[in-house]
Amino acid sequence: MRGVLVVDATTVRAWIERATTVIEAEQDHLTQLDAAIGDADHGANLVRGFRAAVGALADSQPGTPGEVLVTVGTTLVSKVGGASGPLYGTAFRRAGKTLGTSVELTPDGLGQALQAALDGVQGLGAAVEGDKTMVDALAPAVRAYHQARDAGDDVARAASAAAAAAEKGAEATIPMQALKGRASYLGPRSVGHQDPGATSTAIILAALASVLDGTAP
Ligand code: ADP
Ligand code: MG
């Protein structure tokens, strides 16, 4: 594998571009998941938001990883209606702010950014693990990232571990009853469906891992 050597603004931008491509490819799937327990707009919401974020990055050409993430977050907040816009927007903004003005994103910096994203989502949405939300993908991903780093893994392997944990976490939402967000209005009828937001979180983290380990096209 040809992993990246330096994680800078260009790398982080490549992540957002890759995430946009994959979200576009998964749009119908995300729509179907949201049709089952929500209002069928999650795929369209994310495509609109990430396309706008790619456009904002092309316009402003941010020079640091932190600035890239803050730009993405601000764009998502302003362009995505629904719960996921403010939640993802806050996640990216908090992650970006944590990184300050560093030109290079270190492995530990990425760990702090992921933690800040999770804290931002939970601070805004008050969901805990088991509530059948994006937290069920993001929280195990953050844990897996830290565990991998503690075990000596490099940034690409740690990101892959995070992505794998997020995917597992998203699948684990199927038997859960939603306690937060629109799906919670369904009560027990929300059981048996995978949460759209947890699924998109896993997709976004898989895009990150693929950029860092060099497997993204
Ligand atoms: P909306 O529910 O407003 O239509 P989306 O369909 O874009 O917005 O996003 C739905 C997703 O948002 C859910 O699948 C869930 O993962 C996430 N979500 C909703 N409420 C919360 C919350 N309070 N905390 C964390 N995530 C949430
Ligand atoms: Mg929806």
Side-chain angles (χ1 to χ4, degrees), residues 30 33-35 37-46 48 80-88 121-128 131-136 173 179-185 194-201:
L30 293 171
L33 294 177
D34 198 31
I37 57 169
D39 55 357
D41 64 353
H42 191 58
N45 281 345
L46 288 191
R48 184 169 65 252
V80 181
S84 65
L87 288 164
Y88 272 131
V121 169
Q122 292 193 293
L124 183 63
V128 296
D131 285 351
K132 197 180 181 102
T133 71
M134 58 177 74
V135 170
D136 289 303
T173 63
L179 299 177
K180 285 281 183 310
R182 200 180 282 280
S184 67
Y185 308 155
Q194 186 164 320
D195 180 63
T199 308
S200 57
T201 292

mmCIF file of all heavy atoms in Angstrom, residues 30 33-35 37-46 48 80-88 121-128 131-136 173 179-185 194-201, ligand 1:
data_model
loop_
_atom_site.group_PDB
_atom_site.id
_atom_site.type_symbol
_atom_site.label_atom_id
_atom_site.label_comp_id
_atom_site.label_asym_id
_atom_site.label_seq_id
_atom_site.Cartn_x
_atom_site.Cartn_y
_atom_site.Cartn_z
ATOM 1 N N LEU A 30 -28.657 5.430 1.101
ATOM 2 C CA LEU A 30 -28.937 6.279 2.271
ATOM 3 C C LEU A 30 -30.389 6.760 2.253
ATOM 4 O O LEU A 30 -31.047 6.839 3.300
ATOM 5 C CB LEU A 30 -27.972 7.476 2.307
ATOM 6 C CG LEU A 30 -26.498 7.122 2.553
ATOM 7 C CD1 LEU A 30 -25.604 8.348 2.350
ATOM 8 C CD2 LEU A 30 -26.300 6.544 3.959
ATOM 9 N N LEU A 33 -32.560 3.869 3.431
ATOM 10 C CA LEU A 33 -32.492 3.684 4.888
ATOM 11 C C LEU A 33 -33.331 4.748 5.591
ATOM 12 O O LEU A 33 -34.049 4.460 6.556
ATOM 13 C CB LEU A 33 -31.040 3.751 5.372
ATOM 14 C CG LEU A 33 -30.103 2.627 4.912
ATOM 15 C CD1 LEU A 33 -28.683 2.888 5.420
ATOM 16 C CD2 LEU A 33 -30.592 1.264 5.396
ATOM 17 N N ASP A 34 -33.255 5.988 5.105
ATOM 18 C CA ASP A 34 -34.004 7.072 5.744
ATOM 19 C C ASP A 34 -35.494 6.969 5.412
ATOM 20 O O ASP A 34 -36.343 7.423 6.195
ATOM 21 C CB ASP A 34 -33.428 8.431 5.321
ATOM 22 C CG ASP A 34 -33.852 9.563 6.259
ATOM 23 O OD1 ASP A 34 -34.052 9.302 7.465
ATOM 24 O OD2 ASP A 34 -33.983 10.703 5.780
ATOM 25 N N ALA A 35 -35.835 6.346 4.277
ATOM 26 C CA ALA A 35 -37.254 6.145 3.941
ATOM 27 C C ALA A 35 -37.896 5.189 4.942
ATOM 28 O O ALA A 35 -39.062 5.331 5.292
ATOM 29 C CB ALA A 35 -37.393 5.598 2.528
ATOM 30 N N ILE A 37 -37.106 4.675 8.218
ATOM 31 C CA ILE A 37 -37.330 5.162 9.596
ATOM 32 C C ILE A 37 -37.301 6.687 9.707
ATOM 33 O O ILE A 37 -37.228 7.236 10.798
ATOM 34 C CB ILE A 37 -36.309 4.541 10.589
ATOM 35 C CG1 ILE A 37 -34.858 4.829 10.172
ATOM 36 C CG2 ILE A 37 -36.553 3.045 10.742
ATOM 37 C CD1 ILE A 37 -33.840 4.465 11.271
ATOM 38 N N GLY A 38 -37.329 7.377 8.571
ATOM 39 C CA GLY A 38 -37.283 8.838 8.615
ATOM 40 C C GLY A 38 -38.097 9.427 7.483
ATOM 41 O O GLY A 38 -39.200 8.976 7.212
ATOM 42 N N ASP A 39 -37.512 10.402 6.777
ATOM 43 C CA ASP A 39 -38.249 11.102 5.734
ATOM 44 C C ASP A 39 -37.551 11.051 4.375
ATOM 45 O O ASP A 39 -37.814 11.897 3.511
ATOM 46 C CB ASP A 39 -38.492 12.558 6.147
ATOM 47 C CG ASP A 39 -37.196 13.257 6.490
ATOM 48 O OD1 ASP A 39 -36.137 12.583 6.464
ATOM 49 O OD2 ASP A 39 -37.216 14.463 6.771
ATOM 50 N N ALA A 40 -36.661 10.075 4.217
ATOM 51 C CA ALA A 40 -36.067 9.781 2.901
ATOM 52 C C ALA A 40 -35.233 10.923 2.309
ATOM 53 O O ALA A 40 -35.103 11.014 1.098
ATOM 54 C CB ALA A 40 -37.154 9.351 1.901
ATOM 55 N N ASP A 41 -34.668 11.774 3.178
ATOM 56 C CA ASP A 41 -33.874 12.879 2.627
ATOM 57 C C ASP A 41 -32.386 12.801 2.962
ATOM 58 O O ASP A 41 -31.622 13.698 2.572
ATOM 59 C CB ASP A 41 -34.438 14.242 3.085
ATOM 60 C CG ASP A 41 -34.332 14.440 4.587
ATOM 61 O OD1 ASP A 41 -33.945 13.479 5.295
ATOM 62 O OD2 ASP A 41 -34.645 15.551 5.060
ATOM 63 N N HIS A 42 -31.952 11.771 3.683
ATOM 64 C CA HIS A 42 -30.560 11.774 4.154
ATOM 65 C C HIS A 42 -29.555 11.720 3.000
ATOM 66 O O HIS A 42 -28.548 12.431 3.026
ATOM 67 C CB HIS A 42 -30.322 10.622 5.143
ATOM 68 C CG HIS A 42 -29.011 10.726 5.858
ATOM 69 N ND1 HIS A 42 -28.670 11.819 6.627
ATOM 70 C CD2 HIS A 42 -27.938 9.894 5.909
ATOM 71 C CE1 HIS A 42 -27.456 11.649 7.118
ATOM 72 N NE2 HIS A 42 -26.986 10.490 6.696
ATOM 73 N N GLY A 43 -29.842 10.899 1.996
ATOM 74 C CA GLY A 43 -28.939 10.832 0.844
ATOM 75 C C GLY A 43 -28.848 12.176 0.135
ATOM 76 O O GLY A 43 -27.759 12.697 -0.124
ATOM 77 N N ALA A 44 -29.989 12.773 -0.142
ATOM 78 C CA ALA A 44 -30.011 14.073 -0.837
ATOM 79 C C ALA A 44 -29.371 15.162 0.024
ATOM 80 O O ALA A 44 -28.624 16.012 -0.478
ATOM 81 C CB ALA A 44 -31.448 14.455 -1.179
ATOM 82 N N ASN A 45 -29.647 15.126 1.319
ATOM 83 C CA ASN A 45 -29.046 16.120 2.227
ATOM 84 C C ASN A 45 -27.525 16.088 2.138
ATOM 85 O O ASN A 45 -26.867 17.125 2.023
ATOM 86 C CB ASN A 45 -29.439 15.817 3.682
ATOM 87 C CG ASN A 45 -30.847 16.287 4.021
ATOM 88 O OD1 ASN A 45 -31.430 17.076 3.292
ATOM 89 N ND2 ASN A 45 -31.386 15.793 5.129
ATOM 90 N N LEU A 46 -26.972 14.881 2.225
ATOM 91 C CA LEU A 46 -25.512 14.782 2.266
ATOM 92 C C LEU A 46 -24.875 15.086 0.918
ATOM 93 O O LEU A 46 -23.822 15.720 0.855
ATOM 94 C CB LEU A 46 -25.079 13.398 2.762
ATOM 95 C CG LEU A 46 -25.305 13.163 4.249
ATOM 96 C CD1 LEU A 46 -24.603 11.895 4.699
ATOM 97 C CD2 LEU A 46 -24.831 14.337 5.095
ATOM 98 N N ARG A 48 -26.019 17.148 -1.326
ATOM 99 C CA ARG A 48 -26.073 18.608 -1.465
ATOM 100 C C ARG A 48 -24.994 19.269 -0.601
ATOM 101 O O ARG A 48 -24.246 20.137 -1.059
ATOM 102 C CB ARG A 48 -27.461 19.118 -1.049
ATOM 103 C CG ARG A 48 -27.655 20.607 -1.246
ATOM 104 C CD ARG A 48 -29.115 21.001 -1.068
ATOM 105 N NE ARG A 48 -29.582 20.775 0.294
ATOM 106 C CZ ARG A 48 -30.417 19.805 0.663
ATOM 107 N NH1 ARG A 48 -30.911 18.975 -0.224
ATOM 108 N NH2 ARG A 48 -30.772 19.672 1.918
ATOM 109 N N VAL A 80 -27.256 22.101 4.562
ATOM 110 C CA VAL A 80 -28.010 20.879 4.812
ATOM 111 C C VAL A 80 -29.114 21.142 5.817
ATOM 112 O O VAL A 80 -28.862 21.494 6.959
ATOM 113 C CB VAL A 80 -27.090 19.753 5.345
ATOM 114 C CG1 VAL A 80 -27.899 18.481 5.571
ATOM 115 C CG2 VAL A 80 -25.951 19.492 4.382
ATOM 116 N N GLY A 81 -30.331 20.993 5.369
ATOM 117 C CA GLY A 81 -31.441 21.052 6.302
ATOM 118 C C GLY A 81 -31.471 19.755 7.080
ATOM 119 O O GLY A 81 -30.679 18.865 6.835
ATOM 120 N N GLY A 82 -32.379 19.620 7.989
ATOM 121 C CA GLY A 82 -32.473 18.368 8.720
ATOM 122 C C GLY A 82 -31.456 18.287 9.840
ATOM 123 O O GLY A 82 -30.578 19.130 9.952
ATOM 124 N N ALA A 83 -31.598 17.246 10.617
ATOM 125 C CA ALA A 83 -30.750 17.082 11.799
ATOM 126 C C ALA A 83 -29.283 16.910 11.431
ATOM 127 O O ALA A 83 -28.389 17.400 12.121
ATOM 128 C CB ALA A 83 -31.231 15.861 12.593
ATOM 129 N N SER A 84 -29.034 16.214 10.323
ATOM 130 C CA SER A 84 -27.649 15.841 10.050
ATOM 131 C C SER A 84 -26.767 17.029 9.660
ATOM 132 O O SER A 84 -25.561 16.983 9.856
ATOM 133 C CB SER A 84 -27.594 14.762 8.968
ATOM 134 O OG SER A 84 -28.073 15.260 7.746
ATOM 135 N N GLY A 85 -27.351 18.114 9.131
ATOM 136 C CA GLY A 85 -26.543 19.270 8.740
ATOM 137 C C GLY A 85 -25.851 19.916 9.928
ATOM 138 O O GLY A 85 -24.617 19.992 9.959
ATOM 139 N N PRO A 86 -26.611 20.369 10.916
ATOM 140 C CA PRO A 86 -25.983 20.931 12.107
ATOM 141 C C PRO A 86 -25.075 19.937 12.830
ATOM 142 O O PRO A 86 -24.027 20.326 13.349
ATOM 143 C CB PRO A 86 -27.169 21.319 12.990
ATOM 144 C CG PRO A 86 -28.335 21.446 12.070
ATOM 145 C CD PRO A 86 -28.069 20.549 10.894
ATOM 146 N N LEU A 87 -25.472 18.663 12.841
ATOM 147 C CA LEU A 87 -24.666 17.668 13.574
ATOM 148 C C LEU A 87 -23.333 17.420 12.868
ATOM 149 O O LEU A 87 -22.266 17.509 13.480
ATOM 150 C CB LEU A 87 -25.450 16.361 13.719
ATOM 151 C CG LEU A 87 -26.625 16.433 14.707
ATOM 152 C CD1 LEU A 87 -27.575 15.264 14.505
ATOM 153 C CD2 LEU A 87 -26.115 16.469 16.147
ATOM 154 N N TYR A 88 -23.368 17.096 11.576
ATOM 155 C CA TYR A 88 -22.108 16.914 10.835
ATOM 156 C C TYR A 88 -21.332 18.235 10.760
ATOM 157 O O TYR A 88 -20.109 18.255 10.829
ATOM 158 C CB TYR A 88 -22.381 16.385 9.423
ATOM 159 C CG TYR A 88 -22.460 14.885 9.331
ATOM 160 C CD1 TYR A 88 -23.521 14.268 8.680
ATOM 161 C CD2 TYR A 88 -21.460 14.078 9.874
ATOM 162 C CE1 TYR A 88 -23.595 12.876 8.574
ATOM 163 C CE2 TYR A 88 -21.535 12.697 9.771
ATOM 164 C CZ TYR A 88 -22.598 12.103 9.131
ATOM 165 O OH TYR A 88 -22.674 10.733 9.030
ATOM 166 N N VAL A 121 -20.939 16.424 18.332
ATOM 167 C CA VAL A 121 -22.217 15.776 17.999
ATOM 168 C C VAL A 121 -23.021 15.512 19.274
ATOM 169 O O VAL A 121 -24.230 15.774 19.335
ATOM 170 C CB VAL A 121 -21.975 14.454 17.231
ATOM 171 C CG1 VAL A 121 -23.253 13.636 17.125
ATOM 172 C CG2 VAL A 121 -21.424 14.746 15.836
ATOM 173 N N GLN A 122 -22.344 15.017 20.286
ATOM 174 C CA GLN A 122 -23.066 14.688 21.528
ATOM 175 C C GLN A 122 -23.480 15.946 22.284
ATOM 176 O O GLN A 122 -24.533 15.981 22.921
ATOM 177 C CB GLN A 122 -22.214 13.773 22.402
ATOM 178 C CG GLN A 122 -22.048 12.392 21.761
ATOM 179 C CD GLN A 122 -21.484 11.370 22.722
ATOM 180 O OE1 GLN A 122 -20.329 11.468 23.140
ATOM 181 N NE2 GLN A 122 -22.288 10.385 23.075
ATOM 182 N N GLY A 123 -22.653 16.994 22.183
ATOM 183 C CA GLY A 123 -22.999 18.250 22.842
ATOM 184 C C GLY A 123 -24.252 18.858 22.232
ATOM 185 O O GLY A 123 -25.114 19.399 22.932
ATOM 186 N N LEU A 124 -24.380 18.727 20.920
ATOM 187 C CA LEU A 124 -25.524 19.328 20.224
ATOM 188 C C LEU A 124 -26.760 18.433 20.279
ATOM 189 O O LEU A 124 -27.866 18.897 20.541
ATOM 190 C CB LEU A 124 -25.149 19.597 18.758
ATOM 191 C CG LEU A 124 -26.196 20.293 17.910
ATOM 192 C CD1 LEU A 124 -26.493 21.691 18.453
ATOM 193 C CD2 LEU A 124 -25.718 20.384 16.461
ATOM 194 N N GLY A 125 -26.551 17.130 20.037
ATOM 195 C CA GLY A 125 -27.707 16.239 19.864
ATOM 196 C C GLY A 125 -28.066 15.412 21.079
ATOM 197 O O GLY A 125 -29.113 14.775 21.092
ATOM 198 N N ALA A 126 -27.174 15.408 22.074
ATOM 199 C CA ALA A 126 -27.425 14.712 23.347
ATOM 200 C C ALA A 126 -27.703 13.215 23.185
ATOM 201 O O ALA A 126 -28.365 12.626 24.034
ATOM 202 C CB ALA A 126 -28.561 15.387 24.113
ATOM 203 N N ALA A 127 -27.225 12.619 22.106
ATOM 204 C CA ALA A 127 -27.411 11.174 21.952
ATOM 205 C C ALA A 127 -26.247 10.427 22.608
ATOM 206 O O ALA A 127 -25.109 10.902 22.583
ATOM 207 C CB ALA A 127 -27.490 10.804 20.472
ATOM 208 N N VAL A 128 -26.549 9.290 23.166
ATOM 209 C CA VAL A 128 -25.515 8.401 23.681
ATOM 210 C C VAL A 128 -25.536 7.125 22.846
ATOM 211 O O VAL A 128 -26.460 6.906 22.047
ATOM 212 C CB VAL A 128 -25.726 8.070 25.183
ATOM 213 C CG1 VAL A 128 -25.591 9.332 26.032
ATOM 214 C CG2 VAL A 128 -27.077 7.404 25.412
ATOM 215 N N ASP A 131 -28.674 4.849 21.195
ATOM 216 C CA ASP A 131 -29.850 5.639 20.808
ATOM 217 C C ASP A 131 -30.177 5.511 19.321
ATOM 218 O O ASP A 131 -31.137 6.107 18.832
ATOM 219 C CB ASP A 131 -29.644 7.121 21.142
ATOM 220 C CG ASP A 131 -29.776 7.411 22.626
ATOM 221 O OD1 ASP A 131 -30.192 6.521 23.384
ATOM 222 O OD2 ASP A 131 -29.440 8.550 23.030
ATOM 223 N N LYS A 132 -29.346 4.750 18.572
ATOM 224 C CA LYS A 132 -29.561 4.530 17.139
ATOM 225 C C LYS A 132 -29.366 5.831 16.357
ATOM 226 O O LYS A 132 -30.265 6.326 15.660
ATOM 227 C CB LYS A 132 -30.967 3.954 16.884
ATOM 228 C CG LYS A 132 -31.168 3.317 15.501
ATOM 229 C CD LYS A 132 -32.594 2.784 15.388
ATOM 230 C CE LYS A 132 -32.857 2.107 14.061
ATOM 231 N NZ LYS A 132 -32.822 0.633 14.171
ATOM 232 N N THR A 133 -28.158 6.379 16.465
ATOM 233 C CA THR A 133 -27.804 7.586 15.708
ATOM 234 C C THR A 133 -26.375 7.433 15.190
ATOM 235 O O THR A 133 -25.717 6.418 15.423
ATOM 236 C CB THR A 133 -27.841 8.864 16.571
ATOM 237 O OG1 THR A 133 -26.728 8.827 17.486
ATOM 238 C CG2 THR A 133 -29.138 9.015 17.335
ATOM 239 N N MET A 134 -25.881 8.502 14.573
ATOM 240 C CA MET A 134 -24.497 8.524 14.091
ATOM 241 C C MET A 134 -23.489 8.314 15.222
ATOM 242 O O MET A 134 -22.373 7.876 14.967
ATOM 243 C CB MET A 134 -24.211 9.822 13.334
ATOM 244 C CG MET A 134 -24.431 11.086 14.112
ATOM 245 S SD MET A 134 -23.986 12.569 13.150
ATOM 246 C CE MET A 134 -25.322 12.693 11.981
ATOM 247 N N VAL A 135 -23.894 8.584 16.449
ATOM 248 C CA VAL A 135 -23.007 8.351 17.599
ATOM 249 C C VAL A 135 -22.648 6.864 17.703
ATOM 250 O O VAL A 135 -21.537 6.522 18.132
ATOM 251 C CB VAL A 135 -23.673 8.853 18.909
ATOM 252 C CG1 VAL A 135 -22.894 8.417 20.143
ATOM 253 C CG2 VAL A 135 -23.808 10.375 18.871
ATOM 254 N N ASP A 136 -23.546 5.984 17.274
ATOM 255 C CA ASP A 136 -23.279 4.545 17.350
ATOM 256 C C ASP A 136 -22.195 4.098 16.369
ATOM 257 O O ASP A 136 -21.652 2.998 16.515
ATOM 258 C CB ASP A 136 -24.567 3.756 17.125
ATOM 259 C CG ASP A 136 -25.493 3.902 18.314
ATOM 260 O OD1 ASP A 136 -25.071 3.574 19.431
ATOM 261 O OD2 ASP A 136 -26.618 4.408 18.130
ATOM 262 N N THR A 173 -26.775 -0.927 14.749
ATOM 263 C CA THR A 173 -27.982 -0.119 15.020
ATOM 264 C C THR A 173 -29.260 -0.828 14.565
ATOM 265 O O THR A 173 -30.358 -0.414 14.950
ATOM 266 C CB THR A 173 -27.933 1.266 14.310
ATOM 267 O OG1 THR A 173 -27.905 1.073 12.890
ATOM 268 C CG2 THR A 173 -26.730 2.083 14.759
ATOM 269 N N LEU A 179 -33.978 6.381 19.928
ATOM 270 C CA LEU A 179 -34.383 7.214 21.070
ATOM 271 C C LEU A 179 -34.113 8.692 20.816
ATOM 272 O O LEU A 179 -34.445 9.544 21.632
ATOM 273 C CB LEU A 179 -33.660 6.741 22.349
ATOM 274 C CG LEU A 179 -33.968 5.300 22.762
ATOM 275 C CD1 LEU A 179 -33.154 4.892 23.985
ATOM 276 C CD2 LEU A 179 -35.459 5.129 23.055
ATOM 277 N N LYS A 180 -33.461 9.000 19.688
ATOM 278 C CA LYS A 180 -33.196 10.397 19.333
ATOM 279 C C LYS A 180 -33.516 10.603 17.849
ATOM 280 O O LYS A 180 -33.466 9.670 17.056
ATOM 281 C CB LYS A 180 -31.728 10.742 19.562
ATOM 282 C CG LYS A 180 -31.353 10.920 21.026
ATOM 283 C CD LYS A 180 -31.780 12.282 21.524
ATOM 284 C CE LYS A 180 -31.378 12.572 22.955
ATOM 285 N NZ LYS A 180 -31.695 11.573 23.944
ATOM 286 N N GLY A 181 -33.804 11.826 17.486
ATOM 287 C CA GLY A 181 -34.037 12.142 16.081
ATOM 288 C C GLY A 181 -35.420 11.707 15.611
ATOM 289 O O GLY A 181 -36.218 11.148 16.365
ATOM 290 N N ARG A 182 -35.646 11.952 14.327
ATOM 291 C CA ARG A 182 -36.945 11.683 13.706
ATOM 292 C C ARG A 182 -37.380 10.223 13.864
ATOM 293 O O ARG A 182 -38.568 9.941 14.050
ATOM 294 C CB ARG A 182 -36.797 12.009 12.218
ATOM 295 C CG ARG A 182 -38.033 12.264 11.462
ATOM 296 C CD ARG A 182 -37.688 12.566 10.016
ATOM 297 N NE ARG A 182 -37.200 13.919 9.823
ATOM 298 C CZ ARG A 182 -37.966 14.991 9.735
ATOM 299 N NH1 ARG A 182 -39.280 14.860 9.820
ATOM 300 N NH2 ARG A 182 -37.459 16.177 9.554
ATOM 301 N N ALA A 183 -36.420 9.298 13.771
ATOM 302 C CA ALA A 183 -36.752 7.868 13.848
ATOM 303 C C ALA A 183 -37.360 7.500 15.198
ATOM 304 O O ALA A 183 -38.102 6.514 15.295
ATOM 305 C CB ALA A 183 -35.502 7.023 13.589
ATOM 306 N N SER A 184 -37.071 8.296 16.227
ATOM 307 C CA SER A 184 -37.610 7.975 17.558
ATOM 308 C C SER A 184 -39.133 8.132 17.593
ATOM 309 O O SER A 184 -39.792 7.517 18.434
ATOM 310 C CB SER A 184 -36.960 8.859 18.629
ATOM 311 O OG SER A 184 -37.338 10.212 18.454
ATOM 312 N N TYR A 185 -39.694 8.924 16.659
ATOM 313 C CA TYR A 185 -41.157 9.067 16.627
ATOM 314 C C TYR A 185 -41.845 7.735 16.312
ATOM 315 O O TYR A 185 -43.015 7.553 16.616
ATOM 316 C CB TYR A 185 -41.608 10.101 15.572
ATOM 317 C CG TYR A 185 -40.944 11.452 15.648
ATOM 318 C CD1 TYR A 185 -40.839 12.268 14.518
ATOM 319 C CD2 TYR A 185 -40.413 11.938 16.845
ATOM 320 C CE1 TYR A 185 -40.232 13.516 14.578
ATOM 321 C CE2 TYR A 185 -39.798 13.189 16.911
ATOM 322 C CZ TYR A 185 -39.712 13.962 15.778
ATOM 323 O OH TYR A 185 -39.107 15.196 15.824
ATOM 324 N N GLN A 194 -31.296 -0.250 9.681
ATOM 325 C CA GLN A 194 -30.010 0.376 9.980
ATOM 326 C C GLN A 194 -30.146 1.896 9.937
ATOM 327 O O GLN A 194 -30.795 2.444 9.040
ATOM 328 C CB GLN A 194 -28.959 -0.106 8.973
ATOM 329 C CG GLN A 194 -27.559 0.384 9.289
ATOM 330 C CD GLN A 194 -26.491 -0.402 8.534
ATOM 331 O OE1 GLN A 194 -26.587 -1.628 8.398
ATOM 332 N NE2 GLN A 194 -25.475 0.285 8.062
ATOM 333 N N ASP A 195 -29.524 2.560 10.911
ATOM 334 C CA ASP A 195 -29.637 4.018 10.989
ATOM 335 C C ASP A 195 -28.900 4.700 9.838
ATOM 336 O O ASP A 195 -27.724 4.427 9.595
ATOM 337 C CB ASP A 195 -29.077 4.517 12.318
ATOM 338 C CG ASP A 195 -29.190 6.024 12.424
ATOM 339 O OD1 ASP A 195 -30.322 6.520 12.428
ATOM 340 O OD2 ASP A 195 -28.145 6.696 12.470
ATOM 341 N N PRO A 196 -29.571 5.606 9.120
ATOM 342 C CA PRO A 196 -28.912 6.284 7.990
ATOM 343 C C PRO A 196 -27.688 7.097 8.400
ATOM 344 O O PRO A 196 -26.657 7.062 7.713
ATOM 345 C CB PRO A 196 -30.006 7.206 7.432
ATOM 346 C CG PRO A 196 -31.250 6.928 8.169
ATOM 347 C CD PRO A 196 -30.995 5.953 9.258
ATOM 348 N N GLY A 197 -27.780 7.839 9.496
ATOM 349 C CA GLY A 197 -26.658 8.684 9.906
ATOM 350 C C GLY A 197 -25.457 7.870 10.343
ATOM 351 O O GLY A 197 -24.304 8.235 10.068
ATOM 352 N N ALA A 198 -25.694 6.764 11.037
ATOM 353 C CA ALA A 198 -24.577 5.884 11.407
ATOM 354 C C ALA A 198 -23.939 5.309 10.147
ATOM 355 O O ALA A 198 -22.710 5.164 10.061
ATOM 356 C CB ALA A 198 -25.076 4.756 12.324
ATOM 357 N N THR A 199 -24.767 5.022 9.155
ATOM 358 C CA THR A 199 -24.264 4.471 7.892
ATOM 359 C C THR A 199 -23.413 5.503 7.154
ATOM 360 O O THR A 199 -22.321 5.181 6.653
ATOM 361 C CB THR A 199 -25.452 4.028 7.010
ATOM 362 O OG1 THR A 199 -26.293 3.171 7.788
ATOM 363 C CG2 THR A 199 -24.969 3.300 5.764
ATOM 364 N N SER A 200 -23.875 6.754 7.106
ATOM 365 C CA SER A 200 -23.078 7.775 6.402
ATOM 366 C C SER A 200 -21.796 8.084 7.158
ATOM 367 O O SER A 200 -20.756 8.369 6.539
ATOM 368 C CB SER A 200 -23.910 9.034 6.146
ATOM 369 O OG SER A 200 -24.425 9.585 7.336
ATOM 370 N N THR A 201 -21.822 8.007 8.468
ATOM 371 C CA THR A 201 -20.587 8.209 9.243
ATOM 372 C C THR A 201 -19.560 7.140 8.863
ATOM 373 O O THR A 201 -18.376 7.442 8.657
ATOM 374 C CB THR A 201 -20.890 8.153 10.758
ATOM 375 O OG1 THR A 201 -21.678 9.288 11.108
ATOM 376 C CG2 THR A 201 -19.613 8.164 11.588
HETATM 377 P P1 ADP B 1 -33.634 14.495 9.414
HETATM 378 O O1 ADP B 1 -33.762 13.391 10.425
HETATM 379 O O2 ADP B 1 -33.880 15.834 10.012
HETATM 380 O O3 ADP B 1 -34.439 14.221 8.191
HETATM 381 P P2 ADP B 1 -31.293 13.438 8.103
HETATM 382 O O4 ADP B 1 -32.221 12.467 7.485
HETATM 383 O O5 ADP B 1 -30.344 14.129 7.190
HETATM 384 O O6 ADP B 1 -32.081 14.526 8.964
HETATM 385 O O7 ADP B 1 -30.392 12.706 9.185
HETATM 386 C C1 ADP B 1 -30.921 11.687 10.013
HETATM 387 C C2 ADP B 1 -29.809 11.143 10.885
HETATM 388 O O8 ADP B 1 -29.383 12.124 11.816
HETATM 389 C C3 ADP B 1 -30.228 9.953 11.720
HETATM 390 O O9 ADP B 1 -30.113 8.754 11.003
HETATM 391 C C4 ADP B 1 -29.276 10.013 12.908
HETATM 392 O O10 ADP B 1 -28.101 9.250 12.668
HETATM 393 C C5 ADP B 1 -28.896 11.461 12.967
HETATM 394 N N1 ADP B 1 -29.444 12.097 14.153
HETATM 395 C C6 ADP B 1 -30.700 12.564 14.329
HETATM 396 N N2 ADP B 1 -30.826 13.095 15.562
HETATM 397 C C7 ADP B 1 -29.624 12.930 16.178
HETATM 398 C C8 ADP B 1 -29.104 13.274 17.478
HETATM 399 N N3 ADP B 1 -29.849 13.902 18.397
HETATM 400 N N4 ADP B 1 -27.814 12.956 17.741
HETATM 401 C C9 ADP B 1 -27.054 12.330 16.811
HETATM 402 N N5 ADP B 1 -27.486 12.004 15.585
HETATM 403 C C10 ADP B 1 -28.755 12.282 15.274
#
